[in-house]
Amino acid sequence: MADATRLPTTHELIEEHSTLLYRYAYRLTGDAADAEDLVQQTFLLAHQRGQQLREAAAARGWLISIVRNVFLKSIRHRNRGRSLEEIDEPQTTDAALDVPVHLELLQEALLELAEEFRSPLVLYYFEEFSYQDIAQQMGVPIGTVMSRLSRGKAYLKRRLTETTERERQTVPVQSRSLEFVLQH
Amino acid sequence: MDCQQARAQLELERLGKDAAPGSDALAAGRHLSECDVCRGAVASDRQVDSRITRAMLDVPVPIGFADRLHAAIGPALVVAETPVAVPRRHLLRHLGWGSLALVPMLAIGTLLVSQSVVLNDASIRELGKLDPSLLPVGSSPGIAAPAGWSTLRAIRFADAPRVATVNRVEIPLLMFSALGDRRSASCTGYLVRLPLSQWHKVPDADSFSRGIIQYAAFGTWVVWREGDNVVICVLQGDAHAMQRLQDLVAAGRQLT
């Protein structure tokens, strides 16, 4: 019978969480090589700091927080994207309706956002994290997470819509075929 | 409550769906039941949300990614999980004064063991911490380059090997630099050649290009067997630099 209180080994953590961590890292960095390095550093740190993990159920959040911390260190001297002040309060516009999602454009739009918006958005759309989880990850109150999510989502939708509209007008055939691919 | 306010309220509810509904929520719900435009907009917005969710998760994980992680963590695990030695004080209590007689015997034993020491990935990590350009130049004859490497114009070897000392064993290193191209930067590294008996196991890979890339803070390394030897390539570069080097060597060997 499996011991529910037993903490996972690093190899078990890799088996269970490496895919989620890689996707998160990729969405943060926008680069496959950087994402791979980020996840590798995360597991090395997790291995060194194994005693920090007190219960198996907390492993996923703990690993995500390591990914985020390593990423934040790596971008300390880089352009950190659009800040809170630069992003407007969300406006409801009908232009945001019926948007086909272009994968590259989605990543481009994410990278334009400051990490404080990007991280909660990614975790929100992964649908595996509650607002409480995200608030804990970010070290901010739940209201702040909701506000950032609201602004971030509005920005993302506006950005995806604007470009899609432009593509529709300039390259209708390519745009429509892309729409088809994404919708199926 | 107008359309703008109702949709903002509904969005907030959606974000904080576990929160108890207040009077604003009820008002927004009433507005939604009466306004066709908002109902359509909210439904469409949720559809967009689900499309973004699908797209957000659409990140292909590289082939062999988990294996590479296991390989990177593996050597560290061996080090970390080595049982802690019995404290000497405890041992002496059991052995008493007779233990003094063991001291010269242990010293002789240590010397003998150091002559036949077996290296492993942890040793390579130790080696990787050293700056090879600061190591002494060895007096022994040069190390043979691995099969297929010496004909590659993009790789330049140092004239004489450097000598590193790990676990009291002197290890000659053959330094090299791999020239970059339009897509990649130049990188430097070194090669180690050991008898098979001096490596902790027979490597699975029978060529550099087939070896698994292993990671550490200092860079990456690949271990493979070549005849009766184990060859180790250590690169002061990331996995992608090593991958490029593997591709370069594989392509060179195909051409020749």
Side-chain angles (χ1 to χ4, degrees):
Chain A
M1 195 175 146
D3 180 4
T5 60
R6 189 183 71 83
L7 291 174
T9 65
T10 311
H11 287 293
E12 287 167 342
L13 290 175
I14 290 171
E15 283 303 310
E16 196 172 345
H17 301 290
S18 60
T19 300
L20 173 74
L21 295 194
Y22 178 80
R23 285 180 174 148
Y24 177 55
Y26 180 82
R27 290 300 180 205
L28 287 182
T29 61
D31 182 90
D34 288 347
E36 198 164 324
D37 289 345
L38 194 55
V39 176
Q40 197 224 331
Q41 280 187 58
T42 297
F43 279 112
L44 285 169
L45 282 172
H47 181 65
Q48 287 164 13
R49 300 174 185 172
Q51 72 279 6
Q52 287 180 354
L53 183 64
R54 300 300 167 117
E55 50 179 335
R60 190 185 57 184
W62 177 61
L63 290 168
I64 285 280
S65 68
I66 300 178
V67 172
R68 182 167 177 257
N69 288 336
V70 175
F71 173 69
L72 286 176
K73 267 190 191 170
S74 74
I75 61 162
R76 196 173 285 160
H77 303 295
R78 286 194 232 157
N79 175 19
R80 301 182 70 151
R82 287 180 176 236
S83 70
L84 190 69
E85 291 73 29
E86 289 173 84
I87 295 183
D88 305 331
E89 286 293 342
Q91 301 290 314
T92 53
T93 56
D94 289 346
L97 308 179
D98 193 25
V99 182
V101 180
H102 186 317
L103 295 179
E104 283 176 20
L105 190 60
L106 171 67
Q107 188 59 42
E108 202 180 294
L110 276 175
L111 293 176
E112 287 166 1
L113 291 168
E115 189 280 335
E116 66 208 35
F117 289 97
R118 205 184 313 161
S119 261
L121 266 180
V122 172
L123 295 176
Y124 167 79
Y125 280 114
F126 278 3
E127 290 188 325
E128 292 196 39
F129 293 86
S130 70
Y131 303 99
Q132 190 63 46
D133 287 340
I134 299 174
Q136 274 176 1
Q137 290 293 330
M138 309 285 296
V140 294
I142 199 162
T144 307
V145 169
M146 284 167 64
S147 163
R148 287 181 186 175
L149 274 175
S150 178
R151 288 178 175 201
K153 280 176 71 178
Y155 177 79
L156 206 57
K157 285 174 188 173
R158 193 171 65 232
R159 182 74 172 69
L160 294 171
T161 312
E162 281 168 2
T163 315
T164 309
E165 283 301 316
R166 207 162 46 240
E167 278 179 0
R168 271 184 184 146
Q169 284 161 15
T170 52
V171 200
V173 175
Q174 188 185 341
S175 224
R176 287 182 64 184
S177 59
L178 181 67
E179 198 170 329
F180 177 83
V181 169
L182 290 165
Q183 281 175 344
H184 291 83
Chain B
M1 192 174 268
D2 62 18
C3 293
Q4 183 95 4
Q5 290 168 329
R7 286 196 219 168
Q9 175 60 33
L10 288 165
E11 175 63 11
L12 277 179
E13 274 177 53
R14 192 164 146 68
L15 292 175
K17 52 195 169 201
D18 24 4
S23 58
D24 283 349
L26 292 172
R30 259 199 313 276
H31 177 92
L32 199 63
S33 65
E34 293 161 3
C35 178
D36 290 344
V37 178
C38 279
R39 222 174 19 254
V42 167
S44 187
D45 204 36
R46 287 181 185 175
Q47 200 180 14
V48 173
D49 244 10
S50 82
R51 283 188 199 160
I52 295 179
T53 298
R54 276 207 306 270
M56 196 70 84
L57 289 165
D58 193 350
V59 178
V61 179
I63 296 164
F65 178 53
D67 292 339
R68 287 198 291 279
L69 289 173
H70 285 301
I73 303 296
L77 265 182
V78 171
V79 173
E81 290 176 358
T82 301
V84 178
V86 177
R88 286 184 184 182
R89 208 155 51 104
H90 185 71
L91 190 68
L92 282 171
R93 200 185 301 152
H94 284 284
L95 295 176
W97 286 102
S99 61
L100 285 178
L102 285 174
V103 173
M105 288 166 70
L106 283 172
I108 294 165
T110 307
L111 273 174
L112 288 173
V113 168
S114 68
Q115 294 304 308
S116 59
V117 74
V118 172
L119 303 178
N120 59 18
D121 294 296
S123 321
I124 301 301
R125 282 172 188 275
E126 289 302 311
L127 197 60
K129 291 176 189 166
L130 306 173
D131 180 349
S133 62
L134 300 179
L135 296 172
V137 176
S139 54
S140 59
I143 303 166
W149 284 52
S150 51
T151 54
L152 297 171
R153 271 192 282 172
I155 295 181
R156 304 270 160 80
F157 292 102
D159 293 334
R162 304 270 174 165
V163 179
T165 306
V166 175
N167 295 351
R168 299 186 205 170
V169 176
E170 288 194 346
I171 303 173
L173 315 175
L174 176 59
M175 291 177 66
F176 68 85
S177 57
L179 304 178
D181 55 22
R182 276 181 303 173
R183 290 185 307 162
S184 58
S186 299
C187 58
T188 58
Y190 50 89
L191 293 154
V192 176
R193 189 180 279 275
L194 302 168
L196 266 175
S197 58
Q198 227 175 333
W199 189 245
H200 67 115
K201 63 172 186 177
V202 178
D204 294 331
D206 59 359
S207 71
F208 170 59
S209 309
R210 289 185 188 153
I212 293 174
I213 300 172
Q214 304 197 60
Y215 306 74
F218 67 83
T220 45
W221 75 93
V222 169
V223 182
W224 73 100
R225 65 179 190 276
E226 203 172 277
D228 293 335
N229 290 162
V230 168
V231 187
I232 303 156
C233 172
V234 181
L235 199 65
Q236 287 145 331
D238 62 14
H240 300 277
M242 184 64 95
Q243 182 70 59
R244 281 197 299 272
L245 190 59
Q246 284 185 319
D247 293 344
L248 179 76
V249 171
R253 292 192 72 183
Q254 279 162 15
L255 288 175
T256 53

